[in-house]
Amino acid sequence: MKEKILNFLNEGKPLLWIKGQNFHEIESIIVEGLNAFENKRYYIYEKGTTINRQNNSVEVGMGNLFTTLDELYPQGIRKVPVFLLIKDSLAEIVDENNLEYIKEIVETKTANPKYNFTLIVVDQQNTVPEDLREITSLVDDDEQKRTAEMALKKAILDITKIEKIELDLAKLEKIELDLDSIEKIVQSLKDDIKKITVGEKPVELKPTFEDMVFVKGGKYQPSFADEEKEVSNLEVSKYLITQKLWQELIRNNPANFKGDENRPIEYISWWHALEFCNRLSEKYGLRPVYNLGKSDQGLLMINQLDGIVVSPDVADFNKTEGFRLPTEVEWEWFARGGQVALDNGTFDYTYSGSNNIDDVAWYTGNSKDTTQSVGLKMPNVLGLYDCNGNVWEWCYDTTESIESGKSYVYKAYDHSNVYRRLKGGSWCNNTEVCAVAVRGNSQATYAYSNAGFRIVRTVL
């Protein structure tokens, strides 16, 4: 993929369509390719927001794809090349007016190589509009994955066609496996496979739901614990839950900072966040994690997949399938970058993805005393945005010290214990408070204009 993207940039073609899930990796490749240009202008358009990537500022007057194209199109006649990266905006691209505009830009550059407006589309839905197929340079990040998947399936089928296999173990003993035994072993292997290797590069399987990122589990010592804790494989929401997504499910908008539905939802309590998780689980046909039948009394129970309902201090989240709040152990794992960051030596960054807070977070020094649309700052190495700053994130835990052997803290059935853990800092906090290791808390029934959440689900 990298070679194809760099070749496209070097050849100066008009339209590149990238089918891929890892936007962070794709953007890094594009930035690397653009470094070859001494002068350039680089913009990112996503869901009603246009960012000038060179100074990370939001462009006023470019609030939809048509106005963005209309503003940048004339700039292509100048000597400075203009690049527009369109991310996850297929619904707008297929709008008739926008399709015609894109075709006109491509035709203009094809007819006049000196014209300098280049379009790059990153599409997670893997659908190139029919009207653009013949004029698009295509990079398919999934093609290698599909090839590897087919090879894996073929290998499994080839194995299961053999009626009997003899394994000679150092000529000391022989083990005979009949077809039934082989099928059981193959099924066990298939259940355990979480990634497919293409060459020497591991390629993560796609997450189940849109805007979720697969985060491999592992072991580490949290900043607040005296021993290593284990984290299971998770899907984690790439962004803080937005006002748009909240309104789609809950049908109201309690946020203090309205005006842009891509801002994080805030002014919601811990209990409100649990209700959202359950409704999203129901939307996708998953068993809700939280039993909220007595939430008006401040009592919570947890639904396990075996049909048993257990108290929240003994719940096993490996036996749940729905969406939920992360535990504090899980939050610090993915905020720091998980196993990927451990492997590349960036796990101990002060903030999620950087030691420079301005790279990754909205805080008192740059927020202008308000929340900001999600995803405008750099993500961490896992592709997760806004883990620091913007709004605090509710976690599952209560606020006692975590015990040996435990993966979370929850003091159940104690009405005096009303506090829940918050992580990440917010738009109204300074650099010290926004650090990954800092621990906040608030009463579960309280709501603030600087507290929101993101969601996770266990993937086994």
Side-chain angles (χ1 to χ4, degrees):
M1 178 181 70
K2 179 176 180 178
E3 183 179 355
K4 290 182 178 180
I5 293 175
L6 295 179
N7 286 341
F8 169 85
L9 296 174
N10 289 333
E11 293 168 5
K13 295 179 180 179
L15 175 59
L16 175 66
W17 197 284
I18 303 174
K19 294 181 176 182
Q21 298 285 330
N22 192 338
F23 177 76
H24 181 55
E25 178 186 2
I26 292 168
E27 188 183 6
S28 296
I29 295 170
I30 292 170
V31 170
E32 179 182 336
L34 293 182
N35 286 337
F37 297 87
E38 291 185 6
N39 297 301
K40 75 271 184 182
R41 295 179 182 174
Y42 174 31
Y43 300 86
I44 297 177
Y45 176 82
E46 180 185 11
K47 299 177 181 177
T49 302
T50 302
I51 305 296
N52 185 331
R53 188 61 178 80
Q54 289 169 281
N55 58 21
N56 285 325
S57 62
V58 178
E59 293 291 327
V60 178
M62 298 176 167
N64 59 60
L65 183 56
F66 186 85
T67 57
T68 298
L69 294 172
D70 201 44
E71 181 69 26
L72 299 182
Y73 179 37
Q75 297 183 27
I77 62 175
R78 301 172 185 169
K79 293 182 180 180
V80 177
V82 180
F83 296 86
L84 175 61
L85 175 59
I86 305 172
K87 176 187 173 189
D88 288 344
S89 299
L90 183 63
E92 288 185 87
I93 291 173
V94 297
D95 176 85
E96 183 177 354
N97 290 332
N98 292 333
L99 270 177
E100 290 302 315
Y101 217 148
I102 291 172
K103 285 195 289 184
E104 180 181 342
I105 292 168
V106 172
E107 291 168 0
T108 301
K109 185 161 187 177
T110 302
N112 182 6
K114 292 184 179 180
Y115 182 72
N116 271 322
F117 187 17
T118 300
L119 294 168
I120 305 170
V121 177
V122 178
D123 172 34
Q124 293 186 334
Q125 299 183 43
N126 295 344
T127 305
V128 181
E130 186 174 350
D131 289 354
L132 298 178
R133 286 176 188 170
E134 293 184 3
I135 58 176
T136 298
S137 299
L138 179 63
V139 174
D140 190 350
D141 187 31
D142 292 330
E143 186 174 351
Q144 288 180 307
K145 296 178 190 178
R146 286 195 294 269
T147 301
E149 287 168 357
M150 291 181 67
L152 178 64
K153 290 176 182 177
K154 183 178 183 301
I156 291 171
L157 289 173
D158 288 344
I159 291 173
T160 56
K161 288 177 183 176
I162 301 172
E163 294 185 359
K164 183 180 291 186
I165 293 177
E166 289 188 355
L167 299 180
D168 192 342
L169 302 179
K171 300 191 181 297
L172 295 176
E173 61 175 324
K174 290 185 178 180
I175 298 175
E176 290 190 356
L177 301 175
D178 58 20
L179 182 57
D180 288 341
S181 299
I182 293 170
E183 288 180 341
K184 289 178 181 178
I185 292 171
V186 170
Q187 186 59 51
S188 177
L189 289 170
K190 289 170 67 178
D191 291 341
D192 288 341
I193 290 172
K194 295 300 180 185
K195 60 175 64 176
I196 299 167
T197 299
V198 180
E200 295 181 354
K201 180 182 178 182
V203 181
E204 301 293 354
L205 295 178
K206 294 180 183 177
T208 310
F209 300 97
E210 184 180 4
D211 286 340
M212 300 291 283
V213 174
F214 176 79
V215 176
K216 183 180 179 181
K219 290 183 178 180
Y220 80 111
Q221 184 171 333
S223 59
F224 51 87
D226 295 328
E227 63 177 4
E228 282 195 333
K229 303 292 184 181
E230 186 167 1
V231 180
S232 298
N233 293 339
L234 300 170
E235 285 180 0
V236 181
S237 55
K238 183 186 302 185
Y239 308 108
L240 296 162
I241 298 303
T242 63
Q243 295 177 32
K244 178 181 180 181
L245 187 54
W246 178 275
Q247 289 178 93
E248 288 175 358
L249 283 181
I250 309 299
R251 304 299 179 188
N252 63 26
N253 187 2
N256 183 62
F257 298 109
K258 297 183 176 68
D260 182 349
E261 60 184 9
N262 287 319
R263 290 186 180 192
I265 190 66
E266 26 83 6
Y267 226 81
I268 49 100
S269 71
W270 184 83
W271 289 101
H272 291 146
L274 303 193
E275 175 63 27
F276 175 91
C277 290
N278 276 5
R279 292 204 191 181
L280 192 62
S281 297
E282 291 166 354
K283 176 180 177 180
Y284 286 105
L286 302 174
R287 180 172 171 78
V289 174
Y290 304 115
N291 187 313
L292 301 175
K294 295 183 178 180
S295 60
D296 58 337
Q297 303 173 39
L299 300 178
L300 175 68
M301 299 292 281
I302 303 297
N303 299 318
Q304 308 275 244
L305 278 176
D306 53 13
I308 298 175
V309 180
V310 299
S311 62
D313 57 330
V314 298
D316 182 356
F317 290 116
N318 287 336
K319 295 180 180 179
T320 64
E321 67 173 3
F323 297 99
R324 57 183 176 83
L325 294 181
T327 66
E328 188 179 11
V329 169
E330 290 170 337
W331 188 95
E332 187 166 322
W333 173 252
F334 64 68
R336 290 191 179 278
Q339 191 63 50
V340 178
L342 279 175
D343 291 343
N344 67 20
T346 61
F347 191 81
D348 292 325
Y349 277 167
T350 303
Y351 308 103
S352 178
S354 179
N355 281 323
N356 183 352
I357 190 172
D358 287 291
D359 289 342
V360 295
W362 298 105
Y363 69 109
T364 52
N366 60 16
S367 69
K368 299 180 181 178
D369 297 326
T370 182
T371 58
Q372 301 289 334
S373 296
V374 300
L376 298 184
K377 291 292 185 177
M378 286 174 51
N380 72 4
V381 70
L382 298 175
L384 304 175
Y385 293 83
D386 297 301
C387 289
N388 294 117
N390 220 348
V391 292
W392 287 94
E393 300 182 31
W394 286 112
C395 292
Y396 175 72
D397 303 56
T398 53
T399 55
E400 295 75 29
S401 297
I402 191 166
E403 298 177 11
S404 175
K406 297 288 187 179
S407 59
Y408 61 84
V409 179
Y410 199 102
K411 193 172 181 181
Y413 302 118
D414 185 346
H415 292 287
S416 67
N417 185 46
V418 296
Y419 289 91
R420 300 295 182 273
R421 183 65 65 199
L422 287 161
K423 295 290 288 186
S426 77
W427 58 268
C428 62
N429 295 117
N430 61 25
T431 56
E432 290 79 9
V433 175
C434 288
V436 169
V438 170
R439 310 171 79 190
N441 63 77
S442 180
Q443 292 195 36
T445 55
Y446 284 11
Y448 304 92
S449 62
N450 65 340
F453 68 107
R454 78 177 68 229
I455 55 174
V456 304
R457 61 184 294 267
T458 307
V459 182
L460 296 178

